[in-house]
Amino acid sequence: MEEDRSMKLAIMQPYLFPYIGYFSLIRNTDFFIFFDTPQYIRKGWINRNRILSANGESTYFTIPIQKADRNIPINKTIISNNSNWKMKILGQLNIYKKAPNYNAVIDLVKDVFSTDTIWISDLAIKSIVKTCEYLGIDIHYDIFSKMNLKLPQVKEPDEWALYITKELEYKTYVNSPGGMAFFNREKYQENDIDLQFLLQEITPYKQNRKNFMSALSIIDVMMFCSCNEICEMLRKYKIER
């Protein structure tokens, strides 16, 4: 790959219908990697997210996971089908029946849930890719566990992104603001990599409640906002170093 500082790489764990900032990271970079090999963390964002509840507050919708060793990686984590979780989540989404885009978004969710897989990572990735298609976001991506990259031994958490960026010969790495605390900026400077953090502006929109609740699942945004409105939101961000 020809080195080009304008080409931007992003890497994130696969989350289930994540919040709008995740899609901003995809839309505003050139290549995206689903980092599916770290340890699965219970009560994280891999298999659940937040939507509005019947009382106007927020609640979680969750895909249940089979019990397994606590060190199991994300891409080896199996969905539990002991309960009818699909119907439960679709029932939770009834709160949005009066939203302008309810039918289209429910069809999208059903499409994702019809994925023939036992792995939560597959389903989470499908939720993101299908949402990008719905929104008209051009996503160029790969899945880390399938890339067979030859990386040096990783000793610190921020070295995964560093070594992947170097191996793929990108010169700019973009991360979500949640990772700002543990990145060693000098380490990236020494390797001639421009380390950036994308901070998405959360634009309030009309929900079925008096006061706006931000950073819910992209499902909430899509229920109330058109694709054009969401793409306009995704243009409102800033980069910090």
Side-chain angles (χ1 to χ4, degrees):
M1 180 183 298
E2 182 180 353
E3 293 186 358
D4 183 351
R5 191 170 291 275
S6 66
M7 297 287 285
K8 297 182 177 182
L9 173 69
I11 304 168
M12 287 286 287
Q13 295 180 15
Y15 294 158
L16 183 65
F17 286 110
Y19 90 119
I20 191 170
Y22 195 110
F23 293 93
S24 183
L25 196 61
I26 293 172
R27 184 187 181 278
N28 296 299
T29 54
D30 300 287
F31 195 70
F32 192 88
I33 295 176
F34 291 108
F35 192 40
D36 63 336
T37 57
Q39 177 186 344
Y40 168 78
I41 303 297
R42 293 182 66 251
K43 296 185 178 181
W45 300 108
I46 306 298
N47 65 313
R48 68 175 191 164
N49 219 296
R50 298 189 308 143
I51 52 173
L52 293 178
S53 65
N55 64 8
E57 299 303 315
S58 68
T59 188
Y60 288 97
F61 64 93
T62 305
I63 296 178
I65 298 300
Q66 285 189 12
K67 290 183 178 179
D69 184 272
R70 65 182 301 172
N71 295 319
I72 192 168
I74 296 168
N75 66 326
K76 299 297 182 184
T77 302
I78 300 175
I79 298 168
S80 173
N81 287 307
N82 291 335
S83 62
N84 196 346
W85 58 265
K86 296 180 184 180
M87 292 302 297
K88 180 179 179 180
I89 294 175
L90 292 173
Q92 287 180 280
L93 294 176
N94 281 337
I95 187 66
Y96 294 103
K97 271 204 165 181
K98 294 183 179 180
N101 305 314
Y102 173 80
N103 290 331
V105 178
I106 282 294
D107 286 345
L108 169 64
V109 174
K110 289 179 178 178
D111 186 20
V112 172
F113 285 176
S114 69
T115 305
D116 184 17
T117 184
I118 63 172
W119 310 110
I120 189 60
S121 57
D122 288 347
L123 205 61
I125 291 170
K126 184 74 170 288
S127 78
I128 296 162
V129 172
K130 283 292 183 179
T131 298
C132 286
E133 291 176 3
Y134 176 87
L135 296 175
I137 297 173
D138 192 14
I139 178 173
H140 301 278
Y141 74 94
D142 208 335
I143 300 170
F144 180 72
S145 63
K146 299 180 180 180
M147 296 176 72
N148 297 317
L149 298 179
K150 296 180 179 179
L151 305 179
Q153 182 180 0
V154 173
K155 298 179 180 179
E156 300 292 340
D158 65 342
E159 291 179 351
W160 283 107
L162 175 65
Y163 295 151
I164 293 170
T165 304
K166 289 186 66 175
E167 178 67 16
L168 296 179
E169 298 183 4
Y170 277 82
K171 302 299 289 184
T172 302
Y173 174 71
V174 187
N175 204 77
S176 65
M180 294 180 76
F182 70 81
F183 274 88
N184 184 328
R185 290 160 176 77
E186 291 182 0
K187 190 184 299 183
Y188 281 72
Q189 291 173 355
E190 291 169 357
N191 285 275
D192 194 30
I193 293 174
D194 185 14
L195 176 62
Q196 301 181 0
F197 298 92
L198 188 150
L199 285 70
Q200 174 65 35
E201 177 185 323
I202 304 296
T203 306
Y205 51 90
K206 187 176 181 180
Q207 296 169 317
N208 288 337
R209 67 191 311 273
K210 184 177 180 180
N211 299 314
F212 175 69
M213 184 177 295
S214 67
L216 298 180
S217 164
I218 193 67
I219 289 175
D220 185 84
V221 189
M222 294 189 295
M223 287 288 188
F224 296 112
C225 304
S226 69
C227 294
N228 287 339
E229 288 172 331
I230 295 172
C231 288
E232 185 61 32
M233 294 177 187
L234 294 174
R235 295 187 179 96
K236 298 177 181 180
Y237 68 94
K238 63 180 181 178
I239 294 292
E240 290 191 3
R241 290 179 170 83

